[in-house]
Amino acid sequence: MSAAPFDTGLIITRLRTPLPGALRLVGGSADYASIDKLQDFPAPCAYVLLGRERGAQIASGQSLPGVQNAVAQMMAVTFGLVMAFRNYRLEGQELRNELRDQVGAVRDRLLGWTPPVSGGRACELLQGDLVAYDAGTAVWTDVWRTQHAIKPEIAP
């Protein structure tokens, strides 16, 4: 265990396992940062972005000045999953159905899954939003919640 932020690579690995209507790319924040416009998304694709970590209060008892205690702290984690889908042949209801099916397949992979981390909690979906649409490309973002524990590696 360490005090490092939540490893979004665990989510990326989970989503890289075969899914119905397979994603061409599942990347992280560096991959997402390279996108300039909707047409740049290698759809269908997904990007996992760490959103926020929020710590629970530690009941550590007494501590001595200048001494670092070996405490563990639970961290609530939110992460975003930005997904892009493209189909120039479909319009209206057909595109909505395809987006619904593909987002549903990704959600099926994450909802209730517990990341293999200390103090992990099953992933919960907080919200989903259509954030952009243009010329057959739709970008959907889901916001998820989980948790993990951190504990400093104390040097002598």
Side-chain angles (χ1 to χ4, degrees):
M1 190 180 315
S2 76
F6 180 76
D7 180 6
T8 57
L10 299 168
I11 308 297
I12 292 169
T13 298
R14 176 80 175 162
L15 292 176
R16 284 184 176 161
T17 59
L19 287 167
L23 297 168
R24 289 178 52 200
L25 171 88
V26 180
S29 58
D31 301 307
Y32 182 70
S34 70
I35 303 296
D36 289 327
K37 53 187 183 279
L38 287 178
Q39 289 71 29
D40 292 343
F41 282 105
C45 60
Y47 301 90
V48 181
L49 311 171
L50 183 59
R52 172 188 300 189
E53 287 190 314
R54 185 176 188 153
Q57 185 173 354
I58 299 173
S60 60
Q62 268 189 336
S63 58
L64 299 172
V67 175
Q68 185 175 8
N69 296 312
V71 297
Q73 184 175 9
M74 297 307 295
M75 302 295 290
V77 174
T78 56
F79 64 91
L81 184 57
V82 179
M83 297 170 276
F85 306 101
R86 180 178 298 119
N87 196 325
Y88 295 115
R89 295 170 294 152
L90 301 178
E91 295 180 1
Q93 183 65 36
E94 294 171 313
L95 183 58
R96 284 190 298 275
N97 290 343
E98 183 168 306
L99 183 131
R100 186 189 69 233
D101 292 345
Q102 291 178 328
V103 169
V106 170
R107 287 177 173 180
D108 283 342
R109 185 58 50 127
L110 291 179
L111 187 61
W113 175 70
T114 302
V117 296
S118 179
R121 180 179 287 168
C123 291
E124 301 173 45
L125 180 63
L126 297 178
Q127 72 183 54
D129 296 292
L130 180 65
V131 294
Y133 175 79
D134 183 35
T137 301
V139 178
W140 182 272
T141 299
D142 275 347
V143 178
W144 293 85
R145 174 176 43 213
T146 187
Q147 77 176 24
H148 73 128
I150 60 171
K151 184 176 181 179
E153 297 175 2
I154 299 175

